[in-house]
Amino acid sequence: MEQKIHQGRNVKRFREMLGIKQEALAFDLGDDWNQKKISMLEQKDVIENDILKQISNSLRIPVEAFQNFDEEQAVNIISNTFNDQSNGYNYYPTFNVNPMEKWIEALEEIKRLNLELLKAKDEQIKVLEKLLNK
């Protein structure tokens, strides 16, 4: 048995998740929209594609989200995978960082930067000497 997706309810869900009031959505959709019309739209099972596109542009959510989102399936997916170690996620990661290695790397970087500074200073001294000799 195929369950029908309620597009109006999906519009309402996404609008509420974004924290947008019906009045604000109506204002964004244009002059011929008001809060009452949005309320009635959210009660419809199927919404016309052109209206869905307008809402999609306003909320910046793909049209497919309104057409395909099924809360029951989403809850099933989340409940079946949450904190399940077989999904490949490591919830208790271990980090193998050797602080001594990091310290040595930092010292090597400091040495390299000091050499660059000395080289730049020597070049600057040569330029100044040339200017003084002229």
Side-chain angles (χ1 to χ4, degrees):
M1 184 170 112
E2 188 175 315
Q3 183 175 350
K4 204 159 176 111
I5 293 179
H6 195 287
Q7 293 176 357
R9 198 173 298 130
N10 286 343
V11 168
K12 180 178 180 179
R13 279 191 191 103
F14 286 112
R15 177 185 57 76
E16 288 176 342
M17 281 190 268
L18 294 170
I20 297 173
K21 298 211 174 275
Q22 288 178 335
E23 295 89 358
L25 179 58
F27 178 80
D28 204 29
L29 291 177
D31 292 334
D32 54 332
W33 287 89
N34 57 35
Q35 181 273 325
K36 179 77 173 165
K37 196 170 177 181
I38 297 292
S39 178
M40 291 171 52
L41 178 83
E42 290 176 350
Q43 294 173 20
K44 292 175 89 176
D45 285 338
V46 178
I47 300 173
E48 297 79 26
N49 282 335
D50 58 325
I51 296 174
L52 274 180
K53 286 178 187 173
Q54 287 180 313
I55 295 169
S56 171
N57 290 335
S58 177
L59 299 179
R60 293 182 178 90
I61 294 176
V63 173
E64 294 79 19
F66 303 118
Q67 294 171 332
N68 300 325
F69 180 75
D70 183 6
E71 183 179 27
E72 192 171 311
Q73 284 181 351
V75 169
N76 285 338
I77 291 169
I78 292 169
S79 66
N80 289 334
T81 59
F82 182 72
N83 210 11
D84 180 4
Q85 296 299 321
S86 66
N87 63 12
Y89 294 111
N90 184 0
Y91 292 97
Y92 307 103
T94 55
F95 299 99
N96 296 322
V97 176
N98 186 343
M100 197 62 156
E101 281 180 22
K102 291 292 180 188
W103 186 69
I104 291 171
E105 285 175 16
L107 284 177
E108 293 297 324
E109 181 68 11
I110 289 170
K111 283 182 192 177
R112 187 186 65 76
L113 291 171
N114 278 334
L115 287 173
E116 284 183 28
L117 280 173
L118 287 173
K119 187 188 263 185
K121 184 187 94 174
D122 289 343
E123 289 173 7
Q124 209 171 23
I125 288 173
K126 286 179 184 176
V127 169
L128 289 173
E129 285 175 348
K130 283 181 185 179
L131 287 173
L132 285 174
N133 290 335
K134 285 187 181 180

